């Protein structure tokens, strides 16, 4: 599971007031919810894109802090997807993930990567 921050001054609820609806529009019907570290997340058990086996996404709320977007994209093995003749779906899956994350967080892929690098560097012990 990965957590994504919003752009400075922005909130997840403002960017996606109907998070469940957005998840359904982009990935398929929400089959239920699942708890992760005390957060209730939406689960898409049968995503529309054949590359995804399962999608789990939702708001991770922390007291005194802005909500973060918690997401886990469970993907099928590439060999399996290609063998079924769904190679084009792989590019669509990448586009779907990036578009969803951009719309939810206001940050493009490069900005999200840099932010995650900084978090890892902040967690590194000082020697």
């Amino acid at each position: 599971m990965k957590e994504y921050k919003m752009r400075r001054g922005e909130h997840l609820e403002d960017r996606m007031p109907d998070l469940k609806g957005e998840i359904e529009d982009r990935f398929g019907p929400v089959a239920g919810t699942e708890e992760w570290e005390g957060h209730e997340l939406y689960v898409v058990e049968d995503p529309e894109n054949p590359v995804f086996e399962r999608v789990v996404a939702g708001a991770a709320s922390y007291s005194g802090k802005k909500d973060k977007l918690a997401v886990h994209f469970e993907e099928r093995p590439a060999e399996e997807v290609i063998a079924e003749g769904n190679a084009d779906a792989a590019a669509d899956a990448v586009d779907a993930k990036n578009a969803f994350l951009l719309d939810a967080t206001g940050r493009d892929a490069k900005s999200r990567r840099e932010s995650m690098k900084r978090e890892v560097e902040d967690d590194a012990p000082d020697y």
Side-chain angles (χ1 to χ4, degrees):
M1 187 77 58
K2 288 186 179 176
E3 290 185 5
Y4 297 92
K5 294 181 193 178
M6 305 304 113
R7 244 186 346 203
R8 182 171 296 189
E10 295 187 358
H11 300 274
L12 180 58
E13 192 169 291
D14 296 336
R15 294 195 65 81
M16 289 193 167
D18 180 16
L19 185 56
K20 181 181 178 186
E22 287 285 343
I23 292 167
E24 288 182 323
D25 288 347
R26 295 166 189 256
F27 302 108
V30 170
T33 60
E34 183 177 289
E35 187 174 315
W36 174 75
E37 294 188 1
H39 309 293
E40 202 70 22
L41 307 177
Y42 299 109
V43 179
V44 178
E45 291 289 354
D46 188 21
E48 292 168 359
N49 187 307
V51 171
F52 299 123
E53 197 163 295
R54 188 169 186 255
V55 176
V56 181
S61 303
Y62 297 97
S63 63
K65 293 183 180 179
K66 291 195 307 188
D67 289 356
K68 292 183 178 182
L69 178 69
V71 182
H72 177 67
F73 295 103
E74 203 170 299
E75 297 180 5
R76 296 174 48 219
E79 305 82 35
E80 200 177 292
V81 174
I82 292 168
E84 291 175 355
N86 291 321
D88 293 344
D92 293 342
V94 170
D95 291 344
K97 285 194 296 190
N98 282 330
F100 176 70
L101 293 171
L102 175 62
D103 292 346
T105 65
R107 303 170 125 206
D108 62 8
K110 182 179 178 183
S111 171
R112 292 191 305 268
R113 268 192 310 276
E114 287 173 358
S115 177
M116 288 194 169
K117 277 186 201 173
R118 282 192 302 274
E119 282 182 22
V120 171
E121 289 169 356
D122 292 344
D123 292 342
D126 293 329
Y127 291 106

